[in-house]
Amino acid sequence: MLDVARLRVLVAVARKGSLTAAAKELHYSQPSISHHLARLEAETGAKLIQRAGRGIRLTEAGRLLAERASDIIGRLDATAEELAAHVGLRSGRVRLAAFPSALGTFIPKAAGLLAGAHPGLRLQLTETEPPEALRLLRAGRVDVAVMFRYDDTAPEDSGLHLVHLLDDPSYLVSGTPPGEPADHAESAWIAGCDRCRSHLLDICEKAGFEPRIAFTSDDIVAVQALVAAGLGLTMLPGLALAAHRHPDVQVAEVPGSTRHVYAAVYGEPPHPPATEALLTALRESL
């Protein structure tokens, strides 16, 4: 009998086009991906992949199996959702992807509320930034993606349903009284993730200058330590400061610089019962 986990690996390799990208999508190591494919070839007795320069490509047999496996996995996942509804959330799982400062603030409370209301329902958490969280959601790897967007963020693709959770203001963070962004046209700046960096550039452009980015880090602890050491200043959202606040930094809210936090699900309501239960817990946690 073919192993479903190995079929998922083959489908991911077919979709992403490389072992590295498939490993990233599935949160496996690359050697683990190679191991699963080797075992799948042993199970089927067919050569499924072949080397092509520095990359790989699927053989005809590999493409055929990947196509069939994609249909099989889709039906299995749909059946699991139907079964979860049938048993009334007494068992099963629900999968959530979220960005770090959400995981460090309100999501633990939501997890506790969900466990209290549905003790048999298992919650799986993945930490990742919004673009990757939405990719996981579209690929069916998670059921809910907690993400954020700014007013100037490009619209998300169609097919997503966004449930508004909160509005999160941004703050200028400095080792001295921060003032306003326009006061720091000549200063060194510290940028974060791609979405936050783009927003920082937009805010500075509106203030009449292009920031000199001296450091880049997604780690809010490291960013604030750099600020406290006098190596630059940054902009951080309120959730990030609630998750961690360095004692030697000072902050000032930046007007008109609020990010909007949503729980994204794929497709319009009604959603599977486990997904609705998680959405309820997220709303009640705030």
Side-chain angles (χ1 to χ4, degrees):
M1 181 179 295
L2 297 179
D3 185 278
V4 174
R6 291 169 192 149
L7 291 177
R8 288 187 186 276
V9 168
L10 180 65
V11 170
V13 170
R15 181 170 56 250
K16 305 301 290 187
S18 77
L19 301 185
T20 301
K24 183 177 180 181
E25 177 178 298
L26 297 176
H27 303 284
Y28 288 173
S29 66
Q30 187 168 325
S32 179
I33 292 288
S34 298
H35 173 75
H36 279 301
L37 290 175
R39 292 294 302 274
L40 188 58
E41 288 184 331
E43 289 175 351
T44 60
K47 186 69 174 176
L48 302 176
I49 63 170
Q50 60 187 26
R51 294 291 174 183
R54 294 185 177 180
I56 58 99
R57 65 182 179 185
L58 269 63
T59 63
E60 184 176 349
R63 288 192 296 271
L64 174 63
L65 182 56
E67 290 174 3
R68 298 293 185 268
S70 181
D71 293 338
I72 292 167
I73 290 168
R75 292 185 181 185
L76 283 173
D77 290 343
T79 300
E81 291 180 354
E82 292 173 4
L83 183 59
H86 179 72
V87 301
L89 301 182
R90 291 190 297 272
S91 63
R93 68 172 183 180
V94 63
R95 301 160 299 173
L96 172 67
F99 55 94
S101 57
L103 284 171
T105 50
F106 64 89
I107 284 181
K109 182 179 179 181
L113 292 170
L114 184 67
H118 306 286
L121 187 62
R122 181 165 50 95
L123 175 63
Q124 294 182 350
L125 295 175
T126 299
E127 178 185 311
T128 188
E129 296 294 341
E132 179 60 21
L134 294 178
R135 282 193 287 270
L136 292 174
L137 180 65
R138 294 187 189 96
R141 303 300 303 167
V142 299
D143 305 296
V144 179
V146 172
M147 45 81 70
F148 64 85
R149 66 184 323 277
Y150 294 95
D151 291 333
D152 54 2
T153 301
E156 278 71 33
D157 295 341
S158 60
L160 298 179
H161 177 71
L162 301 183
V163 178
H164 180 257
L165 296 178
L166 62 99
D167 292 323
D168 190 17
S170 295
Y171 294 84
L172 194 60
V173 183
S174 176
T176 58
E180 300 178 356
D183 299 328
H184 300 279
E186 303 301 322
S187 300
W189 288 78
I190 303 164
C193 71
D194 289 343
R195 188 166 289 201
C196 295
R197 181 191 183 99
S198 177
H199 183 64
L200 169 63
L201 293 175
D202 181 69
I203 291 296
C204 291
E205 181 181 4
K206 290 177 180 177
F209 70 97
E210 181 179 349
R212 177 169 59 88
I213 306 296
F215 302 97
T216 299
S217 175
D218 294 336
D219 187 330
I220 60 174
V221 176
V223 166
Q224 292 184 58
L226 291 169
V227 171
L231 298 176
L233 70 157
T234 193
M235 277 202 329
L236 288 175
L239 285 178
L241 291 168
H244 171 76
R245 173 74 178 270
H246 194 289
D248 296 330
V249 301
Q250 300 186 49
V251 304
E253 185 173 346
V254 180
S257 181
T258 297
R259 69 178 184 177
H260 312 289
V261 180
Y262 298 92
V265 291
Y266 200 80
E268 294 297 321
H271 305 297
T275 299
E276 288 290 355
L278 177 54
L279 291 174
T280 297
L282 287 168
R283 288 191 291 261
E284 292 179 352
S285 70
L286 299 168

